[in-house]
Amino acid sequence: MDTAVRDLTVYPSVHLLTKSASDIISWDQTLPANVTAATSATLDLGFLVDGDHPYYGESGGFYDATVPLSRPREPHFVGLLPLYRYPLLPMLFFAAVALAALSNCDAKPLRLSHASGDVQLPDYIAKNLGPYSPYIPVGTYPAPPAHCVVNQVNILQRHGARFPTAGAGKKIIASVAKVKAARSFSKSFAFVPSYNYTLGADDLTPFGAQESHDAGVLTAKRYSMLPLGSMPFVRSDSSQRVVDSAANWSAGFAMQSHSPRRSVLVLNGATGSNDTLENNNCPNAPEPTIPETAWLNLFATNITSRLNAGAPGANLTNADTLNLMQLCGFDSGSSGSLSPWCGIFQTKEWAAFEYYYDLDKFYGNGYGNTLGAIQGVGYVNELLSRVTGDLKFATNDKTQVNHTLDSSPSTFPLARTLYADFSHDNQITSILAAMGLKKGPNLPSTGPPVNQAWVTSQIVPFAGRLVTERLLCGGKQYVRFLINDQLQPATFCGGDKSAPGVCRLEDFVKSQAYSTNNGNGDYSKCGYVPL
């Protein structure tokens, strides 16, 4: 970890609840002329956040229209303070926050974090949890070629570690109940009678908040040579854990760079809205579960039999086995120590668990899905506009680009040297497929192939990130791509032989014909219905 910050305050998920002229405060850019205070429930597009203050983009903001507008505004991001330097401050801070919460809003009580430290997971588990893996660099960041300097950075990052989603949590709870109902327990299950499921749902864990903060610190250190000016420009999808992650990243960057915390532009991720950081605009995309289900039944059958022998009467299925393996990761990530559920599985079984999620992402949103890549086209066109300084790529997009936002230099500036976008694993998977990164043969449902290109835990773990660097080399512009610090081969864009992993900017643009051609008509197959 790059910082010793340990004291984090984790707020519950909330939406922007007030909409009045007093909520619109100054930003570091001039807002578009059409930005006004919304006075009705007709809302659109997104809002900007800076600390506890909401901003409105375009014709309105995103909020929960089912909640009375008179309800007080509630905290809506995960805040981090360097309290490790002041031992007595955490208790005072937590007490003040709790009192303020009770007096100013009628939300459920704030959840306050503990000092979680590093999650204690052995490598064979931590690196095989698929999309639930903690962030672990896959490579060592390589310095740019000797004759090159980085002059622009584009970061696309997943939110930090979270609790199970509400739906997944219900399945896990049901599986735990089956084990607790067993007639007897073997030694490995001895902890079960006293175990209580206490995990939250959907929100960031303290460790997940720390992951994003650390990423901001690391970015400020690594790219300290870039002129600060008005950078970075930060955006996020409107899912609360994504907004929280963007805010934590901004806090880490500000702390390390000794600069003001930057505003976050939050895109409305509601189904039917134009949001390049969310993947819910293609309802017709197939959901092929056959490959992963086939693999589950291959690898999990013997595990399930062993578990049932250790807990007679539990009557576990292969789906239960999958749920309990998930619980190992989630429980460990929440508590900061190894969960007892991890102990009921053998070392060799975790690689098979990982491959289940390799299949899940590859066929769910990646190369194995006929409508996977199309969901990443909008972001790619925005990226092309940023690295070239030419708005035409975003302007000509007919997929998920929000043209109202992207037509304004206030909400889609082209003059920044650092951009940070925060999203979800499924959307990042689609973006990588659209770009041509991590491409390989289809994954078989019979087991991992030799030289497997797509490994989910190495690509979209919690806080996983794609970084596109623009380089100036001898007066010419180049780009290179890093996924979790691993430099990616640039063969898809005619890589420069003298500098591995680097390709000329114009060659990269040419290589993105699928995106610049709006997916060759694939978006019309998505069944997109505008908001």
Side-chain angles (χ1 to χ4, degrees):
M1 286 186 150
D2 295 295
T3 176
V5 173
R6 285 290 176 269
D7 297 291
L8 306 100
T9 302
V10 183
Y11 295 105
S13 291
V14 295
H15 290 299
L16 179 63
L17 298 175
T18 61
K19 302 191 63 58
S20 66
S22 62
D23 286 325
I24 302 178
I25 61 176
S26 60
W27 189 36
D28 60 350
Q29 293 286 306
T30 302
L31 291 173
N34 63 338
V35 175
T36 58
T39 57
S40 72
T42 303
L43 303 175
D44 195 10
L45 307 180
F47 63 90
L48 298 163
V49 297
D50 181 16
D52 284 330
H53 304 290
Y55 294 83
Y56 300 95
E58 317 307 334
S59 58
F62 177 77
Y63 82 121
D64 187 348
T66 64
V67 180
L69 296 183
S70 60
R71 185 177 175 184
R73 184 169 68 249
E74 301 164 324
H76 61 273
F77 76 104
V78 178
L80 297 103
L81 295 173
L83 301 180
Y84 63 97
R85 296 178 181 172
Y86 312 100
L88 295 178
L89 282 183
M91 290 183 289
L92 297 174
F93 175 73
F94 290 160
V97 169
L99 287 172
L102 291 174
S103 61
N104 289 319
C105 69
D106 56 357
K108 48 187 180 177
L110 301 181
R111 290 183 293 102
L112 302 178
S113 74
H114 53 79
S116 61
D118 294 327
V119 174
Q120 301 299 311
L121 282 175
D123 276 359
Y124 66 83
I125 296 177
K127 294 182 178 181
N128 285 299
L129 290 174
Y132 312 128
S133 295
Y135 176 77
I136 301 173
V138 180
T140 300
Y141 176 78
H147 60 293
C148 300
V149 294
V150 177
N151 65 4
Q152 188 188 86
V153 178
N154 289 271
I155 299 170
L156 175 65
Q157 183 165 318
R158 188 187 177 197
H159 58 77
R162 59 164 170 77
F163 293 108
T165 61
K170 291 178 180 178
K171 294 178 182 179
I172 293 172
I173 290 170
S175 296
V176 170
K178 291 173 75 171
V179 178
K180 291 178 77 71
R183 295 188 298 273
S184 61
F185 302 100
S186 67
K187 182 178 180 180
S188 61
F189 283 96
F191 70 93
V192 170
S194 60
Y195 175 83
N196 292 308
Y197 183 92
T198 59
L199 300 182
D202 297 307
D203 296 332
L204 294 178
T205 65
F207 181 77
Q210 183 73 57
E211 285 182 304
S212 302
H213 186 270
D214 288 348
V217 171
L218 176 63
T219 300
K221 288 180 178 179
R222 180 171 293 171
Y223 300 109
S224 60
M225 81 295 287
L226 293 175
L228 275 176
S230 59
M231 69 103 173
F233 188 78
V234 186
R235 302 188 307 176
S236 84
D237 173 59
S238 60
S239 172
Q240 194 63 47
R241 60 182 175 268
V242 183
V243 177
D244 294 347
S245 297
N248 285 333
W249 184 95
S250 296
F253 185 94
M255 184 186 78
Q256 179 62 34
S257 61
H258 305 289
S259 62
R261 187 185 298 188
R262 301 296 172 175
S263 305
V264 176
L265 175 64
V266 179
L267 307 182
N268 185 346
T271 300
S273 62
N274 283 12
D275 179 2
T276 55
L277 302 178
E278 180 58 89
N279 70 310
N280 59 4
N281 276 355
C282 196
N284 289 346
E287 297 183 11
T289 59
I290 294 176
E292 63 207 59
T293 301
W295 174 243
L296 176 65
N297 291 332
L298 272 177
F299 91 83
T301 299
N302 289 339
I303 302 175
T304 304
S305 296
R306 190 187 75 248
L307 297 183
N308 279 323
N315 297 321
L316 299 174
T317 65
N318 290 340
D320 293 316
T321 294
L322 188 74
N323 294 336
L324 296 176
M325 295 184 87
Q326 288 182 31
L327 181 56
C328 160
F330 283 123
D331 205 28
S332 299
S334 174
S335 67
S337 59
L338 189 65
S339 169
W341 291 101
C342 301
I344 67 175
F345 300 103
Q346 299 174 0
T347 302
K348 64 182 179 180
E349 293 165 351
W350 289 103
F353 178 77
E354 165 68 38
Y355 191 63
Y356 175 90
Y357 285 104
D358 297 343
L359 293 166
D360 176 66
K361 297 304 174 189
F362 184 87
Y363 288 102
N365 279 81
Y367 292 105
N369 192 309
T370 55
L371 293 178
I374 187 59
Q375 299 175 70
V377 162
Y379 177 86
V380 175
N381 282 326
E382 290 182 325
L383 176 64
L384 291 173
S385 283
R386 287 172 173 175
V387 296
T388 63
D390 191 338
L391 190 59
K392 71 178 183 183
F393 298 102
T395 300
N396 294 337
D397 181 86
K398 294 180 175 60
T399 63
Q400 293 179 209
V401 162
N402 187 313
H403 289 288
T404 309
L405 288 175
D406 285 12
S407 64
S408 169
S410 296
T411 47
F412 192 73
L414 295 182
R416 302 294 179 98
T417 53
L418 176 58
Y419 299 89
D421 291 309
F422 291 82
S423 185
H424 302 267
D425 52 345
N426 288 340
Q427 180 64 0
I428 295 173
T429 297
S430 290
I431 290 167
L432 295 175
M435 291 179 68
L437 289 165
K438 289 294 183 182
K439 190 172 185 178
N442 282 355
L443 300 181
S445 59
T446 52
V450 178
N451 299 321
Q452 179 182 339
W454 186 273
V455 180
T456 296
S457 62
Q458 297 180 11
I459 301 171
V460 285
F462 288 131
R465 63 211 67 158
L466 163 67
V467 177
T468 302
E469 293 180 342
R470 191 180 68 189
L471 309 173
L472 183 62
C473 309
K476 295 183 178 180
Q477 301 272 25
Y478 291 77
V479 290
R480 67 174 187 167
F481 312 91
L482 301 105
I483 297 178
N484 303 325
D485 277 358
Q486 183 186 57
L487 184 63
Q488 299 303 299
T491 50
F492 71 97
C493 56
D496 191 314
K497 293 181 180 179
S498 63
V502 175
C503 63
R504 295 187 304 173
L505 178 58
E506 57 264 38
D507 290 337
F508 170 56
V509 174
K510 291 177 183 176
S511 74
Q512 300 304 298
Y514 179 75
S515 292
T516 56
N517 290 331
N518 287 297
N520 300 325
D522 283 347
Y523 201 61
S524 64
K525 305 172 186 176
C526 278
Y528 165 68
V529 179
L531 187 66

